[in-house]
Amino acid sequence: MSETIGQRPWMTAPETARVLDALEAAGGADCARFVGGCVRNTLIGRPISDVDIATTLTPDAVVMALEAAGVRAVPTGVEHGTITAIADHKPFEVTTLRRDVETDGRRAVVAFTTDWMEDALRRDFTLNSLYARRDGTVFDPTGHGVADARAGRIVFVGDPEQRLREDHLRSLRFFRFLAWYGKGEPDAAAVAAIEAWKDDVARLAAERISAELLKLLAADDPRAALRLMADTGVLAVVIPGPWDFTRFEGLVEIESEQLFETDPVLRLAALLPNDQIAAHQLAERLRLSNAERDRIVAALAPTPVFKSWMSPREIRRAVYRLGAEAFRDRAKLAWASANRTAVAPQWRGMIALGEGWSPPAFPITGDEVLKSGVPKGPLVGEVLREVEDWWVDHDFLDDKMSAIEKLKSVAQGMVY
């Protein structure tokens, strides 16, 4: 009996039907099938995000078919056979069946084919080598994809070393899929091959490495996968040690127990030592965005020291000085390094107070400093900083006249 996932709403949606109808009008029934993650996740009861389609049509024929049906076609990866179809504002990656002709582990030269088995045999893992017709009938060319998906086995298609030689990124993808879908003991053949070929990961573009790493860290519980990544030596290629696994695993535990959203960027910061210079250098090497780099560096600042018993006044001061995001990050990292169970209410209360408080605007302006008799120049900034420090120390005193009196006193002392 054939395996089936039935006809799900995402399969029968009008925009999906528009794309499939367009392809089938050019290539006939069954020239296009759903492939990969959407089939896998539907099979095991996980939510899906992207809908990918494999087709026997060549890329040129795909473009012609889509445009004839009024569907926008974008050649996002045409050299590898991928056209992005945009129907009713929803993107679908449509990729021609292919086989590798030549590969150096970083990029591949492909030839197009009409053989579904050839296409399946060049994919990475058996659970990703699954196809489904629009009626829900599942095709499992390797013969193991359905069973491996349900059992949580991350197994390479064919010989693991050959798959890794074809694309070094597959080492990182193994750990990512292990974190998201793995159950039980990892596949021994896969682990042995990854350990043997670990140094080739360094040849990958930094953007590919960081994207895969952050996807791994976004899993609900990536702890075991990351530990294995360290044991095989792959983690050292990506992130030179030392690593703070205690804090990293503590943060994952907190997010799970306290129902915080998974935060891959903060998890990366948690794994790193408290060295802002090294963190900045790593972020640059991984080509993280400026926002991600700055966030990680700020999260690893040595001061102020966060404790669960910080007073409301100290919390407000920290939020004002650090900003809301950096305050929350610093609090979570300190919590992850501490006794997480005994003082959870205090930490959670601290974070809630910090998130719920909006810092007031400093009531003194540069013009008011000038009016107090301070001449233009660096002295204006010095006076502002001293008065602001006084204002913060007085817990953001809501009394502008008092701030003006303090300004006069400071200005008089500095000018005369």
Side-chain angles (χ1 to χ4, degrees):
M1 182 178 176
S2 297
E3 188 76 38
T4 180
I5 56 175
Q7 287 190 303
R8 305 303 178 97
W10 62 267
M11 301 166 69
T12 58
E15 59 272 19
T16 310
R18 283 187 67 196
V19 174
L20 291 179
D21 289 345
L23 298 174
E24 290 178 355
D30 202 33
C31 75
R33 299 174 182 174
F34 302 112
V35 65
C38 58
V39 182
R40 176 199 65 231
N41 281 20
T42 301
L43 187 70
I44 62 177
R46 296 278 193 97
I48 72 161
S49 52
D50 302 319
V51 177
D52 294 337
I53 298 170
T55 181
T56 56
L57 294 172
T58 63
D60 288 344
V62 169
V63 171
M64 291 178 62
L66 293 172
E67 290 181 345
V71 177
R72 185 182 172 201
V74 183
T76 46
V78 68
E79 69 279 6
H80 292 107
T82 300
I83 303 296
T84 298
I86 302 177
D88 302 328
H89 308 291
K90 181 174 176 58
F92 299 81
E93 280 201 354
V94 181
T95 303
T96 302
L97 303 187
R98 55 196 176 175
R99 58 183 172 83
D100 289 334
V101 174
E102 180 184 330
T103 177
D104 62 1
R106 299 179 65 194
R107 59 185 67 84
V109 177
V110 302
F112 303 128
T113 179
T114 57
D115 189 327
W116 296 92
M117 177 62 80
E118 273 194 311
D119 187 75
L121 292 179
R122 70 166 299 279
R123 293 181 178 271
D124 49 12
F125 308 114
T126 56
L127 82 172
N128 291 336
S129 301
L130 296 171
Y131 307 79
R133 284 184 178 140
R134 65 193 303 177
D135 67 0
T137 303
V138 174
F139 291 85
D140 184 2
T142 70
H144 303 285
V146 170
D148 288 345
R150 286 178 170 153
R153 291 188 293 263
I154 315 302
V155 180
F156 282 104
V157 174
D159 177 43
E161 291 200 8
Q162 181 181 343
R163 295 283 85 80
L164 294 174
R165 287 195 298 270
E166 291 168 349
D167 187 350
H168 306 320
L169 190 69
R170 286 171 173 163
S171 289
L172 301 182
R173 284 174 62 82
F174 174 85
F175 296 110
R176 192 240 293 188
F177 279 91
L178 190 67
W180 280 87
Y181 302 104
K183 301 174 186 175
E185 289 298 314
D187 181 65
V191 173
I194 287 170
E195 188 167 10
W197 289 84
K198 65 181 183 296
D199 293 335
D200 284 332
V201 172
R203 297 175 57 200
L204 293 165
E207 293 87 350
R208 296 185 77 196
I209 292 175
S210 59
E212 204 62 40
L213 178 63
L214 291 175
K215 288 177 184 177
L216 187 165
L217 293 175
D220 286 343
D221 189 354
R223 290 176 291 185
L226 204 68
R227 284 280 188 182
L228 182 61
M229 194 172 168
D231 292 343
T232 58
V234 174
L235 185 59
V237 175
V238 176
I239 305 175
W243 312 296
D244 193 337
F245 269 101
T246 298
R247 181 167 64 186
F248 167 76
E249 293 177 347
L251 177 61
V252 174
E253 188 177 311
I254 288 168
E255 288 175 336
S256 174
E257 292 178 352
Q258 303 297 323
L259 302 181
F260 290 128
E261 289 187 7
T262 58
D263 190 333
V265 174
L266 186 59
R267 285 177 172 183
L268 177 56
L271 187 65
L272 303 178
N274 291 325
D275 184 336
Q276 289 183 293
I277 294 176
H280 189 283
Q281 292 171 341
L282 176 69
E284 292 287 317
R285 186 162 69 84
L286 291 177
R287 303 285 179 86
L288 298 180
S289 70
N290 291 345
E292 290 167 338
R293 178 201 63 204
D294 294 345
R295 184 182 173 199
I296 289 172
V297 170
L300 297 175
T303 57
V305 176
F306 276 61
K307 300 293 183 182
S308 65
W309 56 84
M310 287 173 70
S311 68
R313 180 174 178 173
E314 290 173 315
I315 291 170
R316 287 190 289 269
R317 182 182 304 177
V319 171
Y320 183 80
R321 294 299 190 192
L322 301 174
E325 182 179 63
F327 171 84
R328 182 178 62 251
D329 288 348
R330 292 284 308 281
K332 286 183 178 178
L333 292 188
W335 184 0
S337 298
N339 184 332
R340 291 183 293 282
T341 303
V343 291
Q346 291 97 308
W347 287 111
R348 183 150 191 122
M350 176 196 299
I351 293 172
L353 178 57
E355 290 180 332
W357 181 69
S358 297
F362 179 47
I364 302 300
T365 66
D367 286 343
E368 287 168 320
V369 175
L370 293 173
K371 289 177 182 178
S372 70
V374 177
K376 288 184 178 180
L379 198 58
V380 172
E382 291 182 32
V383 170
L384 275 174
R385 282 189 291 274
E386 184 163 337
V387 178
E388 184 179 24
D389 287 343
W390 169 88
W391 179 68
V392 172
D393 285 342
H394 284 73
D395 202 19
F396 311 97
L397 188 66
D398 186 19
D399 181 356
K400 182 163 183 175
M401 291 308 300
S402 295
I404 292 290
E405 290 303 313
K406 180 63 179 178
L407 166 61
K408 292 177 180 178
S409 172
V410 171
Q412 186 176 20
M414 286 192 173
V415 174
Y416 304 104

